[in-house]
Amino acid sequence: AQSVTQLDSHVSVSEGTPVLLRCNYSSSYSPSLFWYVQHPNKGLQLLLKYTSAATLVKGINGFEAEFKKSETSFHLTKPSAHMSDAAEYFCVVSAGGSNYKLTFGKGTLLTVNP
Amino acid sequence: EAQVTQNPRYLITVTGKKLTVTCSQNMNHEYMSWYRQDPGLGLRQIYYSMNVEVTDKGDVPEGYKVSRKEKRNFPLILESPSPNQTSLYFCASSLSIGRTDTQYFGPGTRLTVL
């Protein structure tokens, strides 16, 4: 069984300040973890993914995430928010095993204030 | 350009009137799936297909049908739509069903059932 919890449904930051979007997961198998971004009226786009290589993963647009097995976390960060980062972000776990399955978090809406 | 396309993008219909949402990908991907997105619930998988003529139920398959007669196409069929199927629908594809594979999403279809 697997699950993913995004700890904040809404995060609001000012432009130029750091972004932290939190994600915890549970999995019976070694997981792959993904962050997707959804801009208004758009489909989901991959930001970054962890697949059991380096635990610190760098993605597009300056985002990065660190896989911490001991804390079962995969938090998304960015040093300095930009207005264009305003979107909804989804943490996703894929644990394989006998059945391929993706489990999505409920999403975190990021608002960036000028 | 590599992409997943969906049609229509917006659809308003009435209860009981059969409809089909088309999905096509030009990346020669084996794996395709359908999701619905509802506020506060994230994305939930409806059906998936691991290859031509191979389909299986996801988490919320009731009221939906799919077919996979060609590798590139994966239509979603609502034979008798009901208001609780009002939602935002996404088609996605990936190269294979490995746990590390990136999903590529279509732009979404917003369906309203009156």
Side-chain angles (χ1 to χ4, degrees):
Chain A
Q2 61 190 40
S3 67
V4 60
T5 302
Q6 292 184 240
L7 297 166
D8 306 291
S9 59
H10 186 201
V11 170
S12 183
V13 301
S14 297
E15 191 174 21
T17 64
V19 175
L20 170 64
L21 305 183
R22 299 182 294 165
C23 173
N24 286 352
Y25 72 92
S26 69
S27 172
S28 303
Y29 301 90
S30 295
S32 290
L33 291 154
F34 306 78
W35 276 100
Y36 284 85
V37 60
Q38 183 181 26
H39 290 280
N41 300 312
K42 300 285 189 184
L44 281 74
Q45 178 187 17
L46 180 71
L47 268 182
L48 50 80
K49 66 179 179 181
Y50 165 76
T51 59
S52 78
T55 57
L56 182 61
V57 182
K58 295 188 185 299
I60 61 173
N61 300 332
F63 284 93
E64 63 181 39
E66 186 171 8
F67 174 72
K68 292 187 176 180
K69 186 176 181 178
S70 61
E71 299 176 10
T72 60
S73 69
F74 190 57
H75 300 335
L76 182 70
T77 60
K78 182 174 180 177
S80 176
H82 190 272
M83 296 296 290
S84 61
D85 295 327
E88 189 156 24
Y89 293 78
F90 292 93
C91 183
V92 183
V93 62
S94 170
S98 60
N99 293 305
Y100 171 78
K101 182 177 173 61
L102 288 178
T103 300
F104 286 75
K106 291 181 167 49
T108 298
L109 182 64
L110 175 65
T111 301
V112 182
N113 303 306
Chain B
E1 179 190 356
Q3 60 183 344
V4 178
T5 57
Q6 294 178 228
N7 283 291
R9 294 289 312 279
Y10 302 91
L11 179 59
I12 300 174
T13 189
V14 295
T15 300
K17 186 176 181 181
K18 181 179 178 179
L19 66 92
T20 299
V21 183
T22 64
C23 172
S24 183
Q25 51 91 5
N26 62 1
M27 296 170 279
N28 202 36
H29 284 171
E30 289 190 349
Y31 185 88
M32 298 184 74
S33 58
W34 277 102
Y35 296 88
R36 61 177 290 172
Q37 183 181 21
D38 301 291
L41 295 179
L43 274 75
R44 295 178 291 168
Q45 191 180 55
I46 303 170
Y47 269 94
Y48 64 92
S49 169
M50 291 186 286
N51 213 325
V52 176
E53 302 292 2
V54 181
T55 64
D56 207 348
K57 297 176 181 179
D59 296 320
V60 288
E62 293 77 21
Y64 304 94
K65 285 178 57 176
V66 293
S67 68
R68 186 97 181 269
K69 292 182 171 35
E70 304 168 278
K71 196 170 187 178
R72 64 183 293 126
N73 296 324
F74 190 46
L76 179 70
I77 303 157
L78 286 72
E79 297 220 323
S80 184
S82 63
N84 64 11
Q85 293 178 297
T86 292
S87 187
L88 180 58
Y89 291 86
F90 288 101
C91 180
S93 72
S94 62
L95 189 61
S96 70
I97 63 168
R99 68 176 178 84
T100 63
D101 284 296
T102 299
Q103 295 286 304
Y104 294 85
F105 287 85
T109 295
R110 188 168 292 280
L111 172 66
T112 301
V113 183
L114 301 175

